[in-house]
Amino acid sequence: MSFDTLKLDKGLYTSSKGFTKALEEVDPSENYKGTELEGLDAYERQLKRYNIKVSGPNSDTVSKFFQSSNSATLFPEYVSRAVKLGLNNNILEDIVATTTIVDSLDYRSIACEDTEEATVDSTVINEGSYIPETAIKTKDTLTKLYKHGKSITASYEALKNQRLDVFTIALKQIGTYISNCDMHNAVDLLKSSSKKISFGTADKVSYEDFLTMWKALAPYEMNTVIAENDKLSQILQISEFKDANAGQNFHGTGKLVTPLGAKLVFPLTNLIPDNIIALDKRYALERVQCGDIVTDFDKLIDRQLEMATVTCISGYNRIMDDASVIMR
């Protein structure tokens, strides 16, 4: 069946696989290798079918989606993808080791624990001697998942003549809001469960404090540091931070790096105003997401934007408990 003869309906959104994957099953991308449509997924081929341009200076208006009942079915997926642009453009990737997508609200992660023998500093296992163990087991508790999202309160009449590239910016802001809520959950977990250490001087962050965090994380690597407000300002004033290499990196890329090479992350939420969290992002956190971005597809297809919601359900687990510390 060709992409330009498909019958689109709301049933594609009820699939547990999501709209695009359900559409891919009836219109596989592999059938278009060697054609001008190669590189497009099933949804993008439908946009081409109805000549809907969602970005650029010549983008269409919102009303272009509603030229037929078939093309109107594409609108909720456009909303989801635009929200994802804001959701993915955040600092979560700097603190998360892996993301697990689940299809149920009941999810148990794993816990990794070294036996007492595994902590012995030994580089050689002699013949017949004990081999240190790492115990991997399912956690006793379920992962706490939280729903975050927003309602769209504009009417279709107010939006129908708006360009899609402008509307995309508004939807990206919803994604950014969801990601900030998500970051709140991640930092809150790190704050409550990380090993606690103390500042050398209560009212000022020093280079020695970074060395203390670096040593406290061993044998893990301190590659990410989370700080806010006053503490971030104090870090930027550390003399070692102003060395040539750190300065060139900041001026060249806009990325802040500590004197020990850890990336500085500053969340928008005011969760740790007087603390600093240091972690090895490779081992500290698992992000768990239940399904995909969820939209009220019925309402969006029926142009009831003022009643439609966009939500995402996610939560966090500690992977290795010793892979983060909090200085307070």
Side-chain angles (χ1 to χ4, degrees):
M1 182 179 295
S2 176
F3 78 101
D4 54 1
T5 59
L6 287 178
K7 173 64 177 175
L8 304 177
D9 57 51
K10 298 177 181 179
L12 291 167
Y13 287 100
T14 62
S15 169
S16 60
K17 301 175 182 179
F19 179 84
T20 298
K21 288 185 178 179
L23 194 59
E24 281 283 351
E25 288 188 350
V26 295
D27 183 35
S29 292
E30 61 184 22
N31 294 343
Y32 298 90
K33 290 182 178 179
T35 72
E36 62 176 8
L37 299 176
E38 183 177 7
L40 302 180
D41 64 24
Y43 172 73
E44 292 167 335
R45 286 192 293 276
Q46 292 302 311
L47 292 180
K48 186 172 182 64
R49 170 186 179 183
Y50 292 101
N51 195 29
I52 301 174
K53 300 180 180 66
V54 297
S55 62
N58 296 318
S59 63
D60 290 307
T61 62
V62 173
S63 62
K64 188 67 174 290
F65 273 104
F66 299 94
Q67 58 188 324
S68 70
S69 58
N70 244 18
S71 58
T73 307
L74 302 173
F75 187 62
E77 179 66 10
Y78 154 75
V79 171
S80 294
R81 293 191 178 206
V83 170
K84 284 181 184 178
L85 292 175
L87 185 63
N88 294 333
N89 185 24
N90 59 78
I91 59 178
L92 288 175
E93 62 184 27
D94 293 325
I95 66 171
V96 172
T98 185
T99 296
T100 302
I101 306 295
V102 298
D103 57 6
S104 171
L105 294 176
D106 295 333
Y107 174 75
R108 295 179 191 270
S109 187
I110 60 172
C112 302
E113 299 177 0
D114 286 337
T115 63
E116 184 177 354
E117 290 81 0
T119 62
V120 176
D121 185 15
S122 175
T123 58
V124 177
I125 299 175
N126 296 319
E127 183 176 355
S129 64
Y130 179 81
I131 300 177
E133 298 176 350
T134 294
I136 302 176
K137 57 184 180 180
T138 304
K139 289 188 175 181
D140 296 331
T141 57
L142 295 172
T143 301
K144 291 184 178 180
L145 300 178
Y146 304 90
K147 179 186 285 188
H148 303 295
K150 279 193 173 184
S151 296
I152 299 174
T153 58
S155 67
Y156 172 71
E157 285 69 25
L159 291 176
K160 66 180 181 180
N161 293 321
Q162 292 296 322
R163 295 287 177 182
L164 288 168
D165 57 344
V166 177
F167 189 42
T168 296
I169 294 173
L171 294 174
K172 283 172 63 178
Q173 188 276 334
I174 295 178
T176 300
Y177 167 79
I178 293 174
S179 72
N180 288 338
C181 293
D182 213 7
M183 184 68 182
H184 184 287
N185 294 337
V187 174
D188 200 34
L189 178 60
L190 289 170
K191 182 174 68 172
S192 63
S193 60
S194 298
K195 180 168 59 177
K196 277 73 175 179
I197 55 179
S198 299
F199 287 103
T201 304
D203 59 349
K204 187 175 182 180
V205 182
S206 67
Y207 183 61
E208 286 69 27
D209 288 327
F210 275 89
L211 293 177
T212 300
M213 290 188 291
W214 176 75
K215 289 188 291 185
L217 270 176
Y220 295 101
E221 175 186 299
M222 189 178 77
N223 49 41
T224 303
V225 172
I226 306 174
E228 299 175 344
N229 303 332
D230 292 342
K231 294 302 181 186
L232 179 61
S233 298
Q234 292 174 25
I235 292 171
L236 297 178
Q237 295 177 47
I238 296 175
S239 58
E240 288 83 358
F241 186 88
K242 300 176 182 179
D243 66 38
N245 290 332
Q248 287 176 5
N249 184 72
F250 175 62
H251 292 298
T253 67
K255 296 180 179 179
L256 296 173
V257 179
T258 71
L260 296 178
K263 183 173 183 179
L264 269 176
V265 173
F266 38 100
L268 299 179
T269 53
N270 190 29
L271 281 173
I272 51 170
D274 299 316
N275 306 138
I276 296 175
I277 296 175
L279 66 143
D280 188 334
K281 66 154 288 185
R282 303 171 301 171
Y283 299 105
L285 285 179
E286 173 196 21
R287 182 175 182 271
V288 180
Q289 181 174 316
C290 181
D292 207 342
I293 297 290
V294 177
T295 61
D296 285 337
F297 59 87
D298 275 313
K299 295 176 181 178
L300 290 174
I301 292 173
D302 295 336
R303 311 183 202 189
Q304 301 176 39
L305 275 69
E306 69 278 3
M307 300 173 61
T309 60
V310 181
T311 59
C312 183
I313 299 175
S314 62
Y316 289 88
N317 286 311
R318 294 298 303 273
I319 303 175
M320 308 299 289
D321 289 337
D322 295 332
S324 67
V325 296
I326 180 168
M327 180 166 277
R328 57 182 185 171

